[in-house]
Amino acid sequence: MIGGFPEVVSIQHHGDQRVSGIDPEAMQSAEAVELDQSMKIAVVLRTDLEPWQRLNVAAFTISGVASQDGAVGEAYRDASGNRYLPMFKNPVLVFGAETDEMARTVGRARSRDVPFSIFTRDLFDTFNDIDNRAAVAAVAAEGLDVVGLAFRADRRIADKVLKGLKLLR
């Protein structure tokens, strides 16, 4: 694979005659890259959060995306042989949303059956997963004060969910 494209290989055939072709394994990799590029990962954060809260919410919500099959690639290795944890196959785009925009985004994701992770304002007062899940479970969907969400979806669907939002700066 060279730059995301299948590598052309040369095959010795009948004496000095060369026949060129596409490496089948590289072609499968190219198809996987094309499939991965059809997906988008998005994090949406409320713009009224403090900087430390934005970082905290982004970290927690993106962990839900990492749990999805196919979201994470292979482990990394450096030239010295050290191994590093794998990362997402797709770029992660971070958007900002006012309170009403967040509610609209949550509604759009639900109406399109896009699985997403959420972080509610109540979770700033909890300190473990059990209490986090209990805080969300205690509030009906329409009453959740969602301050962040993250998802991975087909690019066309993601664009519809995110319509009108701007990248967070």
Side-chain angles (χ1 to χ4, degrees):
M1 184 70 88
I2 300 174
F5 297 99
E7 186 174 350
V8 176
V9 295
S10 294
I11 303 168
Q12 186 76 22
H13 184 64
H14 299 299
D16 289 335
Q17 183 182 6
R18 290 190 176 271
V19 177
S20 295
I22 304 277
D23 179 0
E25 287 182 29
M27 190 62 184
Q28 288 176 346
S29 283
E31 290 168 357
V33 166
E34 184 177 317
L35 177 62
D36 287 344
Q37 291 176 349
S38 72
M39 301 296 282
K40 182 180 276 190
I41 297 175
V43 177
V44 183
L45 302 171
R46 285 261 296 271
T47 55
D48 60 345
L49 297 177
E50 295 292 326
W52 72 267
Q53 291 174 314
R54 287 183 183 177
L55 293 170
N56 188 270
V57 172
F60 273 94
T61 58
I62 204 67
S63 69
V65 174
S67 73
Q68 292 183 307
D69 288 340
V72 176
E74 300 295 322
Y76 286 68
R77 289 189 187 278
D78 63 26
S80 301
N82 296 306
R83 182 182 161 115
Y84 304 95
L85 294 174
M87 294 188 280
F88 290 118
K89 292 178 181 180
N90 311 105
V92 178
L93 302 173
V94 182
F95 295 86
E98 299 293 326
T99 304
D100 60 324
E101 293 172 318
M102 181 64 77
R104 184 184 68 220
T105 303
V106 167
R108 286 177 177 170
R110 282 194 184 114
S111 71
R112 288 168 174 82
D113 295 322
V114 173
F116 60 97
S117 56
I118 62 167
F119 196 101
T120 65
R121 190 166 300 279
D122 292 340
L123 301 187
F124 289 122
D125 297 324
T126 61
F127 300 99
N128 61 68
D129 186 52
I130 293 169
D131 291 341
N132 288 350
R133 286 185 281 116
V136 172
V139 181
E142 61 277 355
L144 291 170
D145 185 6
V146 178
V147 297
L149 64 84
F151 65 87
R152 178 177 183 255
D154 176 87
R155 184 174 300 279
R156 293 177 307 249
I157 294 170
D159 288 344
K160 290 177 183 175
V161 171
L162 299 165
K163 186 176 181 179
L165 298 181
K166 292 185 176 146
L167 289 173
L168 191 62
R169 302 224 179 250

